[in-house]
């Protein structure tokens, strides 16, 4: 990974709508260099997808997100990979992370309501043979995601006190 690739990735991560011309200007390189770099990053699957971060609480309060700690028994020969794959293939699952610490996987699940998420845990996740235990945490409010602050920050409005 060269320096130009890293800089292009940082700029696209900040705002995926930036076009090659703007990025080229920002980095003081040619537009063709940027286009070539982006094409290589896409081809090598370093750039996997361009996504929009949405503050769903402004639109749809009915959507529920939960983080689930999962303890599992690794499979012989595949370790955590096979179980993680089995879990991430469910459409309700948004993310799966292998973790260090008290549990093995952190699973992010999205549903229409609490009942739907609970049903996923009890009917799909918990019955997997390798799953030893689960602990579900419902996200009540998102303040910041992917470096983006959702709530407008109020500045300090206190009056200055002088001696």
């Amino acid at each position: 990974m060269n320096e130009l690739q890293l800089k292009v990735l940082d700029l696209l991560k900040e705002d995926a709508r930036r076009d090659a011309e703007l990025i080229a200007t920002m980095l003081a390189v040619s537009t063709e260099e940027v286009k070539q770099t982006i094409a290589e990053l896409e081809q090598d699957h370093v750039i996997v997808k361009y996504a929009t971060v949405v503050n769903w609480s402004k639109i749809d309060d009915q959507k529920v997100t939960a983080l689930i700690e999962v303890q599992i028994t690794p499979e012989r020969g595949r370790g955590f990979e096979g179980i993680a794959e089995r879990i991430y293939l469910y459409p309700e699952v948004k993310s799966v992370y292998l973790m260090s610490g008290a549990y093995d996987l952190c699973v992010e699940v999205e549903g229409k309501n609490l009942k739907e998420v609970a049903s996923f845990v009890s009917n799909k996740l918990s019955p997997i043979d390798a799953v030893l235990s689960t602990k579900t945490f419902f996200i009540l409010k998102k303040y910041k995601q992917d470096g983006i602050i959702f709530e407008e920050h109020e500045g300090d409005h206190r009056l200055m006190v002088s001696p």
Side-chain angles (χ1 to χ4, degrees), residues 70-73 75 82-88 90 105 120-134:
V70 184
Q71 283 187 315
I72 58 176
T73 303
E75 291 177 333
I83 298 139
E85 181 179 337
R86 188 166 169 194
I87 293 169
Y88 71 61
Y90 286 111
L105 298 176
F120 168 79
V121 174
S122 62
N123 297 327
K124 295 179 180 177
L125 185 59
S126 293
I128 296 173
D129 289 336
V131 172
L132 301 173
S133 70
T134 64

Side-chain angles (χ1 to χ4, degrees), residues 55-68:
N55 185 354
W56 288 106
S57 67
K58 298 278 186 183
I59 298 166
D60 182 8
D61 279 334
Q62 300 305 309
K63 194 175 283 198
V64 173
T65 305
L67 297 177
I68 305 165

Side-chain angles (χ1 to χ4, degrees), residues 5-156:
Q5 288 174 323
L6 290 172
K7 287 179 180 179
V8 167
L9 287 171
D10 280 340
L11 290 172
L12 287 174
K13 175 97 174 90
E14 211 173 84
D15 184 355
R17 295 181 301 167
R18 288 186 172 135
D19 62 12
E21 193 173 296
L22 176 60
I23 293 171
T25 303
M26 294 171 81
L27 298 178
V29 297
S30 74
T31 303
E32 284 308 310
E33 257 185 294
V34 171
K35 286 181 179 178
Q36 170 94 23
T37 299
I38 291 171
E40 288 170 4
L41 292 167
E42 290 172 343
Q43 184 178 349
D44 294 342
H45 293 273
V46 174
I47 295 176
V48 180
K49 180 181 180 181
Y50 296 91
T52 302
V53 177
V54 177
N55 185 354
W56 288 106
S57 67
K58 298 278 186 183
I59 298 166
D60 182 8
D61 279 334
Q62 300 305 309
K63 194 175 283 198
V64 173
T65 305
L67 297 177
I68 305 165
E69 295 178 353
V70 184
Q71 283 187 315
I72 58 176
T73 303
E75 291 177 333
R76 178 163 293 205
R78 288 196 73 197
F80 297 105
E81 302 300 316
I83 298 139
E85 181 179 337
R86 188 166 169 194
I87 293 169
Y88 71 61
L89 289 174
Y90 286 111
E92 301 93 332
V93 175
K94 299 301 168 199
S95 304
V96 177
Y97 305 100
L98 180 61
M99 306 296 288
S100 64
Y103 57 97
D104 303 304
L105 298 176
C106 179
V107 180
E108 181 180 2
V109 176
E110 212 170 67
K112 293 177 187 165
N113 51 46
L114 294 172
K115 193 173 185 177
E116 190 174 275
V117 173
S119 174
F120 168 79
V121 174
S122 62
N123 297 327
K124 295 179 180 177
L125 185 59
S126 293
I128 296 173
D129 289 336
V131 172
L132 301 173
S133 70
T134 64
K135 194 182 295 183
T136 304
F137 301 90
F138 289 99
I139 294 175
L140 304 177
K141 182 176 182 177
K142 287 186 184 179
Y143 293 100
K144 184 175 182 178
Q145 178 182 331
D146 296 327
I148 298 165
I149 298 170
F150 288 135
E151 298 297 316
E152 293 191 26
H153 178 70
E154 274 192 40
D156 188 358

